[in-house]
Amino acid sequence: MLFERAKEYAMSVIDGTNLSTIEEANGKEITTPEVCTQCKWFLEDLEKQKDDNYPYFFNEDFLIFIEEVLKLLNFATGIDDVTEKTIYEGLSPYQCFFFANIFGWRFKKEPYRYRYRQIDLFISRKAAKTFNAAIIIIILMLTEPDFSKFFSICLDRSLAGEIKDAIKEILAVSPLISKHFGKTPKTLSGKVECLITQSTFQARTSEADRNNAVKASCFIADEFAAMRDKKNYNALKSGQKSIQNPLAVILTTAYASDKSPMVEELDYLKKIYKGLEFDDRLFALVYYASENHLWDDVGLYMANPLRIEKNYNETRTNRKNALSKPSEREEYLTKDMNHFVPRNSGESFIDIEKLRLCKLEEPFDWRQKTVYGGLDLALTRDNCSFSILCYENGKVYAKSWAFIPQDRVEEKNKLERTNYWDFIDKKWCYACGDEIVGYSFIEDFILNIEKTMGVKIHSIGYDVANGRSTVEKLSNNGIKTVQVKQTHMILHSPIKLMQEMIYQKNFQYEENRLYEINFQNCRLKPNMSSGLMYIDKKASNGKIDMAVSTTCAMYLVEQNEILNKKKSFGVQTVNLKK
């Protein structure tokens, strides 16, 4: 059964967690941490569905019906004699898991509704990506309500027809199913029609403003990483508001692109898997080779779960060529290892798991502590942040707040795919002003911090951009302010210090998920001439204001608590010699 095969795959993946060599596998799956987590959640959810209050259930009966459909479909192409099998017989374990999750999970109160609203499959080439898309469309055309409309979008016409061709080929060798479909049109814009439901499928390109009026029951964004932006994806998703059971599917391999929308999507997925965000209506399988396995067979298995040895041998040949021919490395890394290598995206600021090891179990006692402040003020409609740091016994203790425009909370929730209301309830964030952030609220917040927290502000470091008026007001109220220029010459040292303190667990912070998200979003860029690192706001993926304000404060900590004391110690040593 498809359900049993899906469970077997999930257990095999979990059993293979942390495997580092092919020899250790012995029938267990070598895969990515993200797939391991998804499999773990699948097995946990099967237990959770027994709780009456859990909103979803796994519909095994419908999955049996899907099995019967798959038994009537045949492979049109393939290797290892797969064309002699039905699709049901020839599905790989990962495909069983993939299809079972898409079609099996439903709402208890509305069993016709799929649990998952969005499906992401990030996978290397030669892993049946287009084939999977064709199967999804065929099943939906046979099972969704009459007159449903299905679409695929792709960057250009040459790629757009791939899913349509795959559907045509499968139907051509599956007479028991093809008799229920109309004749496949030869043109790209021609529609495939199911005669049972009068549902249609059409392949489209992702040209600007061409998909605004489309109402898709399901659409597939094929080679999503090749698209220039998410405008057409968002247009199609917006058109699904009146659809009772909408489904959006993202299928792609990696690309060497600076502005691919998949970079943002992968960052969002990583936040979900790390517990920074929550989205129980998104299902994803993320296959790629990790950095330390880009040039060995472990990486090959991580990126391609299809487990066809002939495909692996071809990839090994590509790897050999890439090692000796630099011009072929980008193609090998992106397509075979599914390693996203945008040319100017920068590197992560810190491993979020390392940062979480620094989270305090109990709130820090700030009373009578001397603190250094950091202030990041942005454009009036954007996020702002204020952070304080206390240096004590060789450790830094941090607390940070974000400030956002009151009337833009819902808009920001949608754009950033997060929940600011939760952050506001926990007082990690304050909504102030209206469409424009309330600078007077921020100023009063800072001016009252000594009274509300019992601290003594030594000084506040700030980025001069957008902050002259606020800084002047703080200075006029007796607070020492220090401009921290946002350049590699100034920021490299405090950034390096903060990284080292985090890895040594000498950086401590109070629980704040928004703070963690800001650090997760940060990207470092080296200056082209000096090689010194700085946080690049343009390369960073999402809001980083709390990390920036912390860096400004860290600059003051370094200057006053570390460098100055080293100088003082040096002077004392000279005096002693005299």
Side-chain angles (χ1 to χ4, degrees), residues 383 404 408-416 420 543:
N383 292 22
I404 63 174
R408 295 193 66 226
V409 177
E410 283 300 337
E411 179 185 349
K412 293 177 71 63
N413 284 344
K414 294 176 182 178
L415 288 174
E416 299 173 35
Y420 273 100
K543 301 305 177 185

Side-chain angles (χ1 to χ4, degrees), residues 85-203:
K85 301 177 181 178
T86 68
I87 287 178
Y88 175 75
E89 294 170 325
L91 287 179
S92 72
Y94 103 83
Q95 289 172 305
C96 293
F97 185 72
F98 183 60
F99 293 133
N101 276 279
I102 294 173
F103 297 112
W105 286 107
R106 305 288 179 127
F107 280 83
K108 285 179 178 177
K109 291 185 177 180
E110 300 172 288
Y112 65 88
R113 287 184 65 202
Y114 295 119
R115 167 186 176 174
Y116 292 116
R117 171 72 173 82
Q118 179 178 325
I119 308 294
D120 287 4
L121 179 60
F122 183 61
I123 198 166
S124 71
R125 66 180 169 190
K126 290 190 175 296
K129 174 175 63 65
T130 303
F131 169 85
N132 292 340
I135 294 301
I136 291 171
I137 294 298
I138 290 172
I139 291 175
L140 289 174
M141 292 182 76
L142 290 167
T143 59
E144 283 297 281
D146 291 352
F147 305 105
S148 295
K149 296 179 180 180
F150 306 98
F151 299 89
S152 67
I153 56 170
C154 206
L155 181 64
D156 55 41
R157 293 181 65 86
S158 62
L159 291 173
E162 291 295 319
I163 294 175
K164 183 177 177 181
D165 289 344
I167 293 172
K168 177 182 176 181
E169 291 168 2
I170 292 170
L171 293 177
V173 296
S174 308
L176 295 177
I177 293 292
S178 62
K179 66 183 180 181
H180 300 299
F181 284 79
K183 187 176 181 180
T184 305
K186 294 181 180 180
T187 61
L188 175 64
S189 59
K191 300 177 181 179
V192 178
E193 182 180 6
C194 176
L195 302 178
I196 297 175
T197 61
Q198 283 76 54
S199 296
T200 59
F201 166 77
Q202 183 184 33

